[in-house]
Amino acid sequence: MSIIRINSVTKRYGNKTVLHNIFFKADKSEKIGLVGKNGSGKTTLFKLILGKEQPDSGTIEIDEGLSFGYFSQFSELDDDECILDILDTEFSRVHELENELNKIGVEITECKNDNEMKHLVNSQMKLFVEMDKLDGWNYKYKISTVLSKLNFSENHQLLPVSQLSGGWRNRASLALLLIKEPDVILLDEPTNFLDTEGVSWLADWIKKSSATVIAVSHDRCFLDAVTSRTVEIENNRLYEYNGGYSEYIKQKKLKSREIEREFIYEEELLVMEENEIKNRAELQKLLKSSKNSDGRLEKKIAGISKKITPLPTETVITSLYQGKYVPNKIVNAENISAQYGDKRIFGNVSFELFGGERMAIIGRNGCGKSTLIKTLTGEINPSAGKITWGSGTKMIYFNEVLDELDGNDKVSHNINVFGDAFSAQRKKVNKFIQLFGFSEYTLTDRIANLSGGQKARVALAKCLLSGCNTIILDEPTNHLDIMSIQSMECALINFPGTVIFVSHDTFFIDKTATRILVYQDEYRTFENYAGNLSMYNARYL
């Protein structure tokens, strides 16, 4: 039975219609994935459900007595208390029961009256029953589990939340929501700032939870793991698909011919995504039926993805790279190490990259992935070892480009006057930009007025058209919608140069990487492996 009912709702901001005549229902304990482009209205839908916004027309009905929890990628808990104390206060009734039980325990040991003893024992049993209902005996374990799975060290647990970085305050917000266990949970990019182990644990927690969950996420594996229905916001309307993300892709491809889309290349991206999902499904069957004792399995895995005729979208991208020089040797890292003070971050990392390779750096939060990126960009020097860039190598750092975007400039001009785009045909460049979700109208928008995801797309387009033959990215999928990530994947795969990136998005890694550096906890180093994540898992896991 539905606990949330949205009937014929329209929502406008000024003259702009965000949602038009939408219908939506959510059942008790249902897990729903919410997808759509940046700015399509996902956050607006959440605000309507929470009562923070009112519809211009239509009705929103929510069952009485429901508790709500909302996590946003931009909401940061800010408190002078440490997260351990904040979470502990959520169990105030448990603490009251503990005090009452301790008091009764003392009275029972001192009681000599049979009638009074009977009364005390009955009271004690009632408190035991309430404690059992609250699962109060395990509250410390709950807190410890949530904090450890979200990678809170003992030091982070004891610091005032206000002194934590934005990413850690976000994780603190998520920890508080999970401890509260509300009836309805709205999640906006909950996997940002989590490593793969944390994402996996969160997915298991959601699946076991009795809460109704509506999740926005760019992490497609996460959506597949937790959702049984997918709702897409497109052209101000809601479209529903049965099943998780993979089923949504299959169904949308069939339905896409009936829906008027803003960009013609979207169907091609769906085809590419469908092919990748088929490859992953074939890979899983292969892993279950084969042994990985020799190299034959890896050859079979490598043969799953076959080169097909380039789609028109890919041709638009590659046409801008004709004649681009890419040296054979890009970079050689020899036994590099990094440390802060007396603390060793990682050591003895060695790898060599050649033109056209795409390397993903993988590991848990805090293992030194970003530090390794900073040594490659020259922001910090390695404490030991040597990094040698090949002759003719030109490197650009996505995160730096993103930070330095000129908010007063317009999208089209900012990209067209940068790097190789300056000498390319304006029509070709603008068509390339439109592949990243910008219409002819939004090409003239000021960058300051763009969403975080749109700014990231501008930065990526600039990197790809910069003339550099090596691109470095740190968590590039954060704050992007799924379609933007698909566009990014298509562009990076067809980029003739070398790509180095950090990501926790396993689907993105598998689709994009040709080589991976995997952090090894035991040795505090990164292992170099030629192949993608699935090939690595087939060999070692």
Side-chain angles (χ1 to χ4, degrees):
M1 182 176 177
S2 60
I3 59 175
I4 299 172
R5 297 168 293 279
I6 296 178
N7 303 301
S8 190
V9 162
T10 294
K11 180 63 183 176
R12 303 182 188 89
Y13 292 101
N15 295 325
K16 182 180 180 181
T17 298
V18 179
L19 299 172
H20 178 70
N21 196 35
I22 65 167
F23 293 82
F24 173 80
K25 289 183 179 181
D27 294 336
K28 183 178 180 180
S29 301
E30 190 175 14
K31 309 297 187 286
I32 302 167
L34 180 62
V35 300
K37 299 174 185 175
N38 293 127
S40 62
K42 301 187 293 294
T43 301
T44 299
L45 180 60
F46 277 175
K47 288 180 178 179
L48 288 168
I49 292 172
L50 292 168
K52 294 182 178 180
E53 295 278 3
Q54 298 302 316
D56 293 302
S57 62
T59 61
I60 299 175
E61 301 171 1
I62 295 176
D63 283 2
E64 291 184 4
L66 292 177
S67 58
F68 283 79
Y70 174 49
F71 173 81
S72 167
Q73 57 183 319
F74 302 112
S75 63
E76 298 177 355
L77 186 65
D78 195 2
D79 200 295
D80 290 330
E81 290 187 274
C82 68
I83 185 61
L84 200 59
D85 290 340
I86 292 172
L87 298 186
D88 190 76
T89 58
E90 291 300 313
F91 297 91
S92 57
R93 180 54 185 161
V94 171
H95 294 319
E96 291 174 5
L97 292 173
E98 285 180 331
N99 291 334
E100 291 178 39
L101 285 169
N102 289 335
K103 182 180 177 182
I104 288 178
V106 172
E107 291 175 352
I108 287 176
T109 60
E110 297 175 352
C111 183
K112 296 179 181 178
N113 183 290
D114 289 342
N115 288 332
E116 182 65 18
M117 176 65 77
K118 184 177 180 180
H119 173 72
L120 289 171
V121 170
N122 286 337
S123 297
Q124 186 184 54
M125 291 303 297
K126 289 180 181 178
L127 293 175
F128 281 153
V129 170
E130 186 177 356
M131 198 72 155
D132 286 337
K133 286 182 179 179
L134 295 174
D135 195 18
W137 312 107
N138 297 316
Y139 83 93
K140 289 184 178 179
Y141 174 76
K142 285 183 178 179
I143 292 174
S144 174
T145 299
V146 168
L147 292 179
S148 65
K149 293 302 182 181
L150 295 181
N151 274 328
F152 277 88
S153 65
E154 184 175 345
N155 181 51
H156 281 110
Q157 292 180 30
L158 299 176
L159 274 175
V161 170
S162 58
Q163 294 182 21
L164 297 175
S165 68
W168 283 107
R169 290 203 300 274
N170 260 340
R171 268 181 265 190
S173 298
L174 181 58
L176 181 58
L177 184 148
L178 297 178
I179 287 295
K180 284 177 177 289
E181 295 188 83
D183 300 314
V184 180
I185 299 176
L186 307 180
L187 299 172
D188 185 356
E189 296 295 353
T191 65
N192 283 356
F193 310 108
L194 297 183
D195 58 21
T196 52
E197 182 182 353
V199 172
S200 178
W201 175 82
L202 178 62
D204 287 337
W205 188 96
I206 291 173
K207 284 188 287 187
K208 294 174 183 176
S209 172
S210 60
T212 297
V213 178
I214 306 174
V216 173
S217 178
H218 67 263
D219 190 323
R220 291 152 290 185
C221 292
F222 174 80
L223 288 176
D224 252 346
V226 302
T227 61
S228 58
R229 179 160 64 101
T230 302
V231 175
E232 182 183 33
I233 302 179
E234 185 179 51
N235 297 327
N236 313 125
R237 296 180 181 273
L238 264 59
Y239 299 91
E240 295 194 5
Y241 302 83
N242 293 323
Y245 177 76
S246 294
E247 282 300 313
Y248 150 72
I249 286 295
K250 294 176 185 176
Q251 294 173 44
K252 165 135 185 169
K253 181 175 176 291
L254 296 174
K255 186 183 274 190
S256 62
R257 295 187 182 94
E258 304 167 11
I259 300 174
E260 183 179 354
R261 293 186 303 269
E262 187 175 359
F263 304 110
I264 195 168
Y265 76 99
E266 182 175 351
E267 186 172 0
E268 296 179 15
L269 291 176
L270 290 170
V271 171
M272 295 174 68
E273 192 85 327
E274 185 182 34
N275 289 337
E276 184 63 23
I277 289 171
K278 287 179 180 177
N279 288 344
R280 288 172 65 87
E282 188 177 342
L283 172 61
Q284 293 305 317
K285 290 181 182 178
L286 183 61
L287 293 177
K288 289 179 181 179
S289 62
S290 305
K291 296 181 179 180
N292 59 354
S293 56
D294 55 37
R296 286 179 293 176
L297 178 58
E298 292 179 17
K299 291 179 181 178
K300 290 180 181 179
I301 293 173
I304 288 177
S305 297
K306 300 177 178 65
K307 183 63 180 175
I308 59 175
T309 303
L311 295 167
T313 295
E314 296 176 283
T315 304
V316 170
I317 295 171
T318 55
S319 67
L320 288 165
Y321 295 137
Q322 291 178 359
K324 185 177 186 64
Y325 171 72
V326 180
N328 181 42
K329 288 188 177 181
I330 297 294
V331 63
N332 184 31
E334 299 178 77
N335 295 316
I336 61 172
S337 301
Q339 63 183 59
Y340 291 118
D342 296 331
K343 183 182 179 182
R344 178 183 176 183
I345 308 300
F346 59 78
N348 301 319
V349 177
S350 296
F351 62 87
E352 191 171 16
L353 278 179
F354 298 90
E357 288 193 294
R358 299 182 296 274
M359 183 176 74
I361 303 172
I362 304 168
R364 59 170 176 78
N365 285 332
C367 72
K369 302 186 296 295
S370 293
T371 301
L372 179 55
I373 287 288
K374 289 177 181 178
T375 63
L376 292 172
T377 60
E379 184 176 340
I380 62 175
N381 294 319
S383 56
K386 184 172 67 172
I387 298 173
T388 305
W389 290 94
S391 175
T393 299
K394 294 174 64 180
M395 179 265 291
I396 191 166
Y397 184 28
F398 164 82
N399 302 67
E400 189 175 88
V401 174
L402 179 60
D403 290 340
E404 295 177 355
L405 287 176
D406 182 357
N408 292 319
D409 204 357
K410 295 181 179 179
V411 172
S412 177
H413 179 265
N414 192 262
I415 297 174
N416 271 284
V417 298
F418 187 76
D420 283 356
F422 183 75
S423 57
Q425 292 181 19
R426 178 66 63 93
K427 187 176 180 180
K428 273 190 174 183
V429 173
N430 284 345
K431 193 170 183 180
F432 179 89
I433 301 171
Q434 288 175 32
L435 297 181
F436 290 85
F438 293 99
S439 65
E440 291 185 16
Y441 177 76
T442 55
L443 284 176
T444 60
D445 282 352
R446 287 176 64 246
I447 290 174
N449 296 331
L450 301 180
S451 69
Q454 288 172 319
K455 289 176 182 176
R457 283 180 262 160
V458 171
L460 180 63
K462 291 183 73 170
C463 289
L464 291 163
L465 297 174
S466 64
C468 295
N469 47 47
T470 302
I471 302 175
I472 298 180
L473 312 97
D474 193 352
E475 295 290 4
T477 64
N478 281 357
H479 312 311
L480 291 183
D481 55 50
I482 291 175
M483 187 172 171
S484 297
I485 296 174
Q486 293 169 348
S487 298
M488 178 191 290
E489 291 164 345
C490 180
L492 293 178
I493 289 169
N494 287 281
F495 178 64
T498 298
V499 181
I500 303 170
F501 65 93
V502 169
S503 180
H504 65 267
D505 185 332
T506 53
F507 200 106
F508 175 72
I509 294 168
D510 245 1
K511 194 171 177 181
T512 309
T514 60
R515 177 178 295 277
I516 57 177
L517 277 183
V518 184
Y519 185 71
Q520 304 296 314
D521 260 308
E522 184 179 359
Y523 306 105
R524 287 195 178 181
T525 190
F526 288 86
E527 178 185 1
N528 179 18
Y529 178 76
N532 65 16
L533 187 57
S534 290
M535 294 171 68
Y536 175 84
N537 289 339
R539 180 173 179 178
Y540 295 108
L541 301 183

